[in-house]
């Protein structure tokens, strides 16, 4: 599948089947994340692959009761290792770096018929405690990873390009 078709196909999946994810597919998704670019090539992140049912069940609570988070056989937590570092442009590098890596992962998953859903609605402190993440790091996002339960969710509408793009200068 070419990239534009893949970008059009990917959507947030909020209903999962219990079908296990093949190890080679999981590894391919992780490899796509590994290949992501990062500021100064620091790769300042670590992914926690959660398979244990009891931890996934607790992640549902940590994520404000979003039940589909625990439906998938895998949940991935994306952890930033350098959350204080600003780029020269004053933007925190960690959020950008982790987002690119996780986006690679979600697109790779879509290309393999797997579903994901970015989860930003979770309690940082509770998630860190549950996953034993050191205090100085930050969990940027979670995503379930698994086979979509039924059919495909309808794509969300998007703003028209004119509302998103200026040419030459701000307009
Ligand atoms: C940073 C971020 C955080 C998000 N957090 C949640 C979340 O906590 N729960 C949820 O159901 N969807 C969450 N989403 C998914 C968005 O709602 C979704 O991407 C958006 O509505 C567009 O739909 P699509 O992904 O199907 O194209 C999040 C997406 C992003 C990028």
């Amino acid at each position: 599948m070419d990239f534009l078709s893949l970008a059009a196909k990917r959507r947030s999946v909020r209903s999962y089947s219990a079908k296990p994810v093949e190890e080679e597919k999981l590894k391919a998704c992780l490899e796509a994340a590994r290949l992501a670019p990062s500021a100064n090539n620091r790769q300042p992140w670590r992914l926690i692959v959660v398979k244990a049912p009891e931890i996934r069940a607790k992640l549902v609570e940590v994520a404000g009761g979003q039940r589909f988070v625990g439906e998938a056989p895998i949940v991935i937590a994306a952890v930033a290792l350098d959350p204080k570092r600003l780029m020269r442009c004053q933007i925190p590098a960690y959020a950008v770096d982790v987002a690119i890596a996780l986006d690679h992962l979600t697109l790779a998953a879509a290309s393999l018929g797997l579903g994901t859903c970015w989860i930003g609605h979770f309690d940082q402190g509770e998630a860190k405690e549950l996953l034993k993440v050191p205090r100085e790091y930050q969990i940027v996002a979670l995503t379930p990873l698994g086979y979509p339960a039924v059919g495909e969710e309808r794509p969300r509408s998007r703003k028209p390009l004119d509302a998103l793009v200026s040419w030459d200068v701000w307009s």
Side-chain angles (χ1 to χ4, degrees):
M1 186 184 303
D2 68 90
F3 179 75
L4 289 180
S5 304
L6 178 61
K9 174 181 140 94
R10 189 230 43 93
R11 60 207 47 159
S12 295
V13 172
R14 297 187 178 85
S15 177
Y16 292 89
S17 95
K19 180 180 171 185
V21 173
E22 298 85 345
E23 276 302 302
E24 58 273 23
K25 287 196 175 183
L26 170 61
K27 285 199 179 125
C29 293
L30 298 174
E31 178 65 6
R34 190 180 77 86
L35 294 174
S38 60
N40 299 106
N41 199 23
R42 285 171 188 264
Q43 303 154 71
W45 49 263
R46 190 166 182 86
L47 300 177
I48 304 177
V49 179
V50 182
K51 292 184 176 178
E54 65 279 9
I55 303 180
R56 287 191 288 112
K58 285 187 186 148
L59 278 173
V60 173
E61 294 164 33
V62 166
Q66 299 185 79
R67 278 190 295 152
F68 65 88
V69 172
E71 269 178 20
I74 295 172
V75 180
I76 290 175
V79 184
L81 308 182
D82 196 0
K84 293 207 174 103
R85 187 180 159 76
L86 292 183
M87 294 182 282
R88 174 118 170 83
C89 61
Q90 299 301 307
I91 299 298
Y94 79 94
V96 179
D97 291 338
V98 175
I100 297 169
L102 201 53
D103 211 44
H104 273 211
L105 185 147
T106 60
L107 286 164
S111 78
L112 296 168
L114 295 166
T116 56
C117 183
W118 279 79
I119 301 293
H121 182 87
F122 66 90
D123 186 287
Q124 182 71 225
E126 289 174 14
K128 276 162 84 166
E129 191 178 333
L130 176 65
L131 300 176
K132 303 190 193 307
V133 173
R135 189 188 304 236
E136 63 270 29
Y137 302 155
Q138 290 275 54
I139 303 173
V140 176
L142 310 169
T143 179
L145 176 70
Y147 284 95
V150 276
E152 291 188 333
E153 298 204 0
R154 291 174 59 203
R156 282 287 170 92
S157 65
R158 292 294 194 263
K159 295 177 183 175
L161 213 48
D162 280 355
L164 298 167
V165 179
S166 295
W167 300 95
D168 291 328
V169 293
W170 181 267
S171 60

